[in-house]
Amino acid sequence: MIKELKADKLDTRAFIKTEVARIAEAVGGGMAINALSGGVDSSVVTLLGHRALGKRLRTVFVENGLMREGEAGRVRSMFAKLGVKVEVVDARDEFFEALKGVTDPEEKREAITQTFYRHVFGRIVRESGARFLLQGTILTDVDETVAGIKRQHNVFEQLGIDPREAFGYGILEPLIQLRKDGVRKVGKALGLPVESFKRIPFPGPALAARVIGEATRERIETVRQATVIVEKALCRTKAFQYMAILHEDRVTGMRDNKREFGQQIEIRCWDSLDARKAKPTRLPFAVLEKLANDITRKVPGVVSVTYNIATKPPSTMEAV
Ligand code: XMP
């Protein structure tokens, strides 16, 4: 059982000192690979690892083809300003190959997990001679996986999987006792820019968690374009998270007086403290109307836009 460190009781200085020392001790004189996705969790881990290991930490951003628009460049330049070099590894073909024909949500998550940890990081770790991978798993990821709700992409030990046996390397998880609010506090204390530590959460399976049915390049591109519009429109709200989801069912629409059997985008916007429970944000109707107009005008093939009004539970925040 992991002991939770609550955000309001968290002494960030003591936490940083302890975790930096733990990383340094575990890795010893060797080197470690750091999995950076650009989200707040992995950004915080990157700075902890950098403090502990300096140049002996190799920070890798895996371009899996499922990330948001412009993400690799954004992450690289943000960390360059913080003195951390980020290596971008192009693994798009591998991920789309693994996702080909996969429609079941848990099978999709499993395909992504295996591609990340067994194939891509397995190869990078082997080639580098590192024995450890650093990653930003938090307590909420563990809870839902153990409860059998969702197989979070980054949880192993709690499922009885030893990463050393399964993938050939150990995994260090300095944030495992924290929830999102605690991670943000540590990020601020570490000197991450505000747009990073206040950034809305983004799931490990990335946009594949927001495409119902098969995650093809084309369908991911559709949800990516809708995501740009949703994030731009809602970034000034105080919501915990907001997203666009591409549905599998098509519906009859019309454009330029012609029938268009088109696609549907669902918008979700959540109020939540730590992602365990959530309520849909009461967005003004004018904001929703503008979103619908922008999405149907700018995202090819979309003729329907809906807003989710169910709570978590029984819903979950991501659709997959
Ligand atoms: P759900 O959809 O389970 O999401 O209600 C709760 C929170 O967790 C994020 N999420 C993930 N984060 N790996 C992650 O690192 C995952 O596999 C994953 N799945 C969901 C989700 O974005 C939300 O903030």
Side-chain angles (χ1 to χ4, degrees):
M1 184 75 175
I2 303 162
K3 189 168 173 291
E4 178 173 352
L5 283 179
K6 290 223 162 59
D8 56 349
K9 303 230 170 66
L10 187 66
D11 175 347
T12 50
R13 273 181 61 175
F15 178 86
I16 293 166
K17 201 170 157 212
T18 309
E19 293 308 322
V20 165
R22 270 195 201 157
I23 296 167
E25 194 192 327
V27 178
M31 64 164 304
I33 304 293
N34 173 40
L36 172 64
S37 69
V40 55
D41 307 339
S42 66
S43 295
V44 168
V45 167
T46 299
L47 291 189
L48 289 175
H50 193 67
R51 280 202 189 180
L53 304 172
K55 288 215 174 341
R56 290 186 294 116
L57 185 73
R58 212 172 123 192
T59 293
V60 176
F61 175 95
V62 176
E63 176 47 91
N64 54 17
L66 310 170
M67 303 306 268
R68 284 171 289 184
E69 185 75 28
E71 193 69 355
R74 193 196 66 79
V75 170
R76 196 152 44 179
S77 69
M78 183 182 93
F79 278 95
K81 287 189 201 127
L82 295 166
V84 180
K85 185 170 166 262
V86 178
E87 215 178 299
V88 178
V89 171
D90 183 0
R92 284 174 293 186
D93 291 347
E94 260 170 288
F95 277 88
F96 283 115
E97 193 52 43
L99 287 166
K100 206 178 250 172
V102 185
T103 54
D104 175 78
E106 289 301 294
E107 283 175 22
K108 236 152 84 174
R109 286 176 165 266
E110 185 59 17
I112 289 168
T113 296
Q114 293 298 328
T115 309
F116 258 124
Y117 292 93
R118 188 178 303 282
H119 302 295
V120 179
F121 283 121
R123 187 168 57 241
I124 297 168
V125 170
R126 258 194 319 278
E127 285 168 5
S128 67
R131 286 187 302 125
F132 289 99
L133 180 77
L134 243 79
Q135 69 168 17
T137 322
I138 63 170
L139 198 49
T140 319
D141 301 337
V142 176
D143 286 347
E144 296 206 351
T145 301
V146 173
I149 296 164
K150 275 184 197 188
R151 166 74 166 96
Q152 305 272 315
H153 78 293
N154 49 2
V155 175
F156 303 102
E157 260 182 61
Q158 294 77 16
L159 291 177
I161 301 166
D162 180 350
R164 276 172 222 276
E165 276 173 27
F167 314 122
Y169 52 84
I171 294 186
L172 300 177
E173 297 168 316
L175 309 183
I176 197 91
Q177 292 175 276
L178 304 181
R179 297 196 188 271
K180 202 59 104 186
D181 44 355
V183 180
R184 292 195 205 283
K185 257 179 102 172
V186 177
K188 187 176 181 193
L190 281 166
L192 268 183
V194 59
E195 64 275 17
S196 173
F197 71 77
K198 285 249 173 95
R199 207 171 185 214
I200 54 165
F202 189 68
L207 296 174
R210 298 179 179 173
V211 164
I212 301 174
E214 188 178 357
T216 60
R217 283 176 204 263
E218 199 186 11
R219 303 192 73 221
I220 289 287
E221 186 51 36
T222 300
V223 87
R224 182 181 286 126
Q225 288 181 27
T227 301
V228 172
I229 297 168
V230 169
E231 291 196 349
K232 191 160 167 233
L234 302 183
C235 67
R236 280 195 199 86
T237 64
K238 293 210 164 64
F240 179 88
Q241 198 170 7
Y242 30 87
M243 60 192 74
I245 290 158
L246 176 62
H247 280 236
E248 200 169 17
D249 289 345
R250 286 180 178 255
V251 289
T252 300
M254 54 190 286
R255 211 185 294 270
D256 303 328
N257 285 325
K258 281 206 207 88
R259 179 183 192 272
E260 186 175 327
F261 195 45
Q263 309 211 70
Q264 309 189 67
I265 289 284
E266 175 189 338
I267 298 165
R268 293 183 177 192
C269 181
W270 298 108
D271 290 340
S272 177
L273 194 62
D274 56 18
R276 282 188 288 183
K277 286 193 266 173
K279 280 186 181 167
T281 306
R282 294 193 169 196
L283 292 174
F285 204 79
V287 170
L288 293 170
E289 276 178 327
K290 182 166 183 335
L291 274 169
N293 275 330
D294 288 350
I295 291 172
T296 50
R297 253 187 329 109
K298 293 182 188 155
V299 185
V302 175
V303 297
S304 163
V305 178
T306 58
Y307 185 57
N308 170 67
I309 51 170
T311 57
K312 172 184 178 173
S315 185
T316 61
M317 295 171 89
E318 305 289 346
V320 167

